[in-house]
């Protein structure tokens, strides 16, 4: 009879072994999960989002490091804490780089990341637009309110193809065959047809979804037949708007409060001792605030034209502040990243749940706004 020897492992050690065995994700799988959390398709067209620096594959991620800005000091912290992926809200690479040398600080960040096998990912305006993103977090500091995007995003995926729809009725079978044969030969055109009745006459309704380039060819063909062309309708196709996704937020408070009260709420939410205030013409600190238009970061272009009692953002140009104030709209400026950074604590919790705690997620302790009140 063979005897077996059993070695007992303390509970705490066992838990560490188990957690370390499951505390990682493949980079590509993690990127896919991050996109499921907030699609990069929501980002502005001018933005530089997504994976910016990638170590040679395969690359596994045990520790995800969150920061608002990836500075030299923050990169040193990320390396000390053994980060495998840095999620930097602002993209550290924005303008094209012609070379990677030790000359500039941003080039050095890339070199350090690659030498230490650290990937860099930036979501930026995708997180601004997301329903659970930065602007939504900023709105939480206002009090109980309903909000909607100032500039709603359009659905990134929608079954309808093409940019335009061409519709016309065809009476005779011979004409129908000729039209269908011609348009099916044009790349970028999809054809559907259905029966229709016009003036008690049986007809076939043709609906052609066309790309911008295909539209010109379809129109050129139809214009050869005056009867077809006079019956043609051309519709411009737009993707549906997403009601809770988009840039900025227009927030309507359940109950009006004084501007002074709103200032204190904002300072408390952002953990700031001071903010900058421009009073709207005819307004005082006791003026009521019912509607707030806000945009994290730099809000001039997003807030312009929004009808509100108060604009809340990180920074605006001098002349945009003057324009708003002249319309009786007060403006609160908190410095750019002060309106964004606090979101990272919420993001840490949300990503932990979304990723099922498969990896370690830590917040930078050295990341801060570069401007201070002295």
């Amino acid at each position: 009879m063979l005897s077996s020897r059993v070695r007992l492992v303390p509970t705490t050690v066992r838990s560490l072994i188990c957690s370390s065995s499951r505390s990682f994700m493949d980079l590509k799988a993690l990127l896919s999960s991050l996109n499921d959390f907030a699609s990069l398709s929501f980002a502005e067209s001018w933005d530089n989002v997504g994976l910016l620096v990638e170590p040679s594959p395969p690359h596994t991620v045990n520790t995800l490091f969150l920061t608002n800005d990836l500075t030299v000091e923050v990169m040193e912290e990320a390396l000390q804490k053994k980060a495998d992926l840095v999620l930097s809200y602002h993209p550290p690479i924005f303008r094209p780089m012609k070379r990677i040398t030790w000359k500039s600080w941003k080039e050095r960040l890339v070199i350090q990341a690659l030498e230490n096998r650290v990937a860099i990912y930036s979501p930026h305006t995708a997180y601004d637009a997301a329903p659970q993103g930065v602007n939504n977090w900023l709105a939480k500091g206002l009090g109980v309110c309903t909000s909607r995007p100032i500039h709603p995003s359009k659905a990134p995926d929608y079954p309808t193809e093409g940019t335009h729809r061409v519709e016309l009725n065809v009476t005779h079978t011979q004409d129908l065959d000729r039209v269908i044969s011609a348009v099916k030969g044009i790349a970028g055109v999809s054809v559907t047809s259905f029966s229709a009745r016009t003036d008690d006459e049986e007809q076939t309704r043709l609906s052609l979804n066309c790309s911008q380039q295909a539209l010109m060819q379809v129109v050129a063909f139809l214009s050869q037949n005056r009867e077809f062309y006079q019956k043609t309708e051309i519709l411009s196709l737009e993707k549906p708007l997403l009601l809770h996704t988009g840039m900025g937020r227009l927030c309507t408070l359940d109950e009006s409060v004084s501007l002074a009260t709103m200032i204190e709420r904002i300072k408390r939410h952002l953990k700031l001792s001071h903010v900058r205030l421009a009073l709207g013409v005819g307004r005082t600190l006791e003026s009521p605030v019912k509607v707030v238009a806000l945009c994290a970061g730099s809000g001039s272009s997003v807030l312009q034209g929004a009808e509100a009692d108060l604009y809340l953002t990180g920074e605006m140009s001098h002349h945009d502040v003057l324009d708003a104030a002249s319309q009786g709209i007060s403006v609160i400026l908190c410095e750019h990243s002060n309106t964004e950074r606090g979101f990272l604590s919420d993001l840490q919790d949300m990503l932990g749940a979304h990723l099922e705690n498969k990896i370690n997620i830590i917040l930078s302790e050295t990341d801060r706004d570069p401007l201070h009140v002295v």
Side-chain angles (χ1 to χ4, degrees):
M1 181 176 179
L2 297 175
S3 63
S4 60
R5 300 174 63 184
V6 178
R7 182 167 62 92
L8 298 177
V9 181
T11 303
T12 54
V13 176
R14 282 206 308 273
S15 65
L16 286 172
I17 294 172
C18 292
S19 63
S20 63
S21 67
R22 67 170 185 271
S23 270
F24 67 88
M25 291 182 70
D26 176 73
L27 176 61
K28 291 186 176 179
L30 176 53
L31 293 177
S32 178
S33 292
L34 289 175
N35 196 62
D36 290 339
F37 173 75
S39 174
L40 293 177
S41 64
F42 295 146
E44 296 289 275
S45 59
W46 49 261
D47 207 355
N48 191 35
V49 297
L51 185 63
L52 305 184
V53 175
E54 179 183 13
S56 57
H59 185 64
T60 56
V61 177
N62 174 269
T63 299
L64 172 61
F65 182 89
L66 306 180
T67 184
N68 201 76
D69 294 290
L70 184 56
T71 62
V72 172
E73 185 180 19
V74 171
M75 175 59 89
E76 290 175 357
E77 181 192 3
L79 296 179
Q80 289 173 1
K81 293 181 177 177
K82 308 297 182 185
D84 304 295
L85 172 63
V86 172
L87 188 155
S88 177
Y89 166 74
H90 285 138
I93 303 174
F94 191 77
R95 297 183 180 90
M97 291 182 171
K98 293 186 176 181
R99 57 185 60 84
I100 305 296
T101 69
W102 205 248
K103 187 174 181 179
S104 75
W105 70 276
K106 287 196 172 183
E107 292 173 31
R108 292 197 292 273
L109 289 179
V110 175
I111 293 171
Q112 285 182 294
L114 290 173
E115 286 181 342
N116 291 276
R117 294 190 59 77
V118 177
I120 300 174
Y121 175 91
S122 176
H124 200 203
T125 52
Y127 278 12
D128 289 347
Q132 75 283 30
V134 182
N135 284 306
N136 187 65
W137 166 81
L138 186 57
K140 290 180 180 179
L142 304 180
V144 181
C145 63
T146 57
S147 67
R148 62 175 177 82
I150 297 174
H151 301 286
S153 299
K154 294 179 180 178
D157 299 309
Y158 197 65
T160 300
E161 298 177 355
T163 60
H164 292 80
R165 177 174 294 159
V166 178
E167 295 191 345
L168 69 155
N169 287 351
V170 180
T171 304
H172 304 294
T173 302
Q174 186 176 0
D175 291 336
L176 177 63
D177 293 341
R178 182 160 63 90
V179 173
I180 291 179
S181 177
V183 297
K184 280 190 172 180
I186 301 174
V189 178
S190 61
V191 183
T192 57
S193 62
F194 51 91
S195 298
R197 176 177 288 274
T198 304
D199 298 330
D200 294 328
E201 185 179 23
E202 287 292 338
Q203 297 184 337
T204 299
R205 183 75 168 173
L206 285 181
S207 180
L208 317 175
N209 280 6
C210 310
S211 64
Q212 182 70 49
Q213 185 176 1
L215 175 65
M216 301 308 296
Q217 297 180 61
V218 170
V219 169
F221 166 73
L222 294 176
S223 64
Q224 296 173 13
N225 187 308
R226 185 177 178 183
E227 183 182 357
F228 289 160
Y229 200 54
Q230 288 181 336
K231 297 178 180 179
T232 298
E233 295 178 334
I234 301 176
L235 309 175
S236 178
L237 300 180
E238 294 284 347
K239 292 181 179 178
L241 298 179
L242 301 176
L243 296 181
H244 304 292
T245 305
M247 294 300 156
R249 293 292 183 272
L250 192 67
C251 307
T252 303
L253 299 172
D254 284 9
E255 296 183 5
S256 298
V257 297
S258 69
L259 177 57
T261 298
M262 181 56 68
I263 291 171
E264 292 307 312
R265 287 183 181 181
I266 291 168
K267 288 163 66 174
R268 184 165 56 250
H269 184 57
L270 300 184
K271 298 180 174 61
L272 297 175
S273 57
H274 298 84
V275 295
R276 291 190 286 166
L277 170 67
L279 280 173
V281 172
R283 302 294 187 256
T284 70
L285 289 176
E286 297 308 313
S287 294
V289 174
K290 179 70 173 178
V291 180
V292 180
L294 63 81
C295 177
S298 181
S300 289
S301 61
V302 173
L303 299 178
Q304 190 172 30
E307 296 182 4
D309 303 308
L310 173 67
Y311 285 176
L312 169 62
T313 186
E315 58 181 338
M316 286 176 67
S317 75
H318 173 78
H319 297 288
D320 288 336
V321 172
L322 290 178
D323 286 343
S326 71
Q327 300 170 56
I329 302 171
S330 298
V331 178
I332 293 178
L333 304 181
C334 308
E335 305 306 346
H336 189 112
S337 68
N338 287 337
T339 57
E340 304 161 336
R341 185 170 288 102
F343 166 71
L344 295 179
S345 294
D346 281 14
L347 178 64
Q348 183 181 30
D349 294 336
M350 289 188 289
L351 285 182
H354 181 72
L355 300 174
E356 299 175 339
N357 297 311
K358 293 178 181 177
I359 59 174
N360 303 316
I361 304 175
I362 58 177
L363 281 177
S364 172
E365 297 177 7
T366 57
D367 175 44
R368 58 179 56 87
D369 196 275
L371 296 173
H372 302 274
V373 177
V374 295

